[in-house]
Amino acid sequence: MSLGAYLAVSAVLFASGLTCMMTKRHALGVLMGVELILNSACLNLIAFARYTNLGIDGQVFALFVIVIAAAEAAVALAIALNYYNNFLTVDVDRGDELKR
């Protein structure tokens, strides 16, 4: 596969993630969109590391992105569960009720 193919797949992932973030009303749907965007960035880093003279730097950065995404997912899931326990919904439009 060529670099252009990797970039095309990454662009599709990014567009899907952005669409998911913009259209979903539930916090978990928004988080799925964020994960798609982070996976798109990982794919770009690894593809450029393979087709350029970056060496292993792309894989190391991708590993950091994966670790940060896992931590973000854990924290966001804890926030979503706490919000659900308080308001019995995960609708992000009701998030303004947190400004007490």
Side-chain angles (χ1 to χ4, degrees), residues 9-81:
V9 171
S10 179
V12 168
L13 276 175
F14 184 82
S16 299
L18 190 62
T19 303
C20 186
M21 283 178 51
M22 300 303 277
T23 59
K24 297 294 181 184
R25 295 180 56 114
H26 294 287
L28 298 178
V30 173
L31 290 176
M32 287 179 4
V34 170
E35 293 297 325
L36 283 173
I37 289 174
L38 289 174
N39 285 334
S40 159
C42 281
L43 185 61
N44 272 340
L45 289 171
I46 292 171
F48 279 116
R50 182 171 189 263
Y51 287 102
T52 61
N53 293 329
L54 293 176
I56 197 166
D57 296 335
Q59 286 86 355
V60 171
F61 285 133
L63 184 64
F64 283 133
V65 169
I66 291 170
V67 169
I68 289 171
E72 174 259 335
V75 169
L77 186 60
I79 290 170
L81 287 174

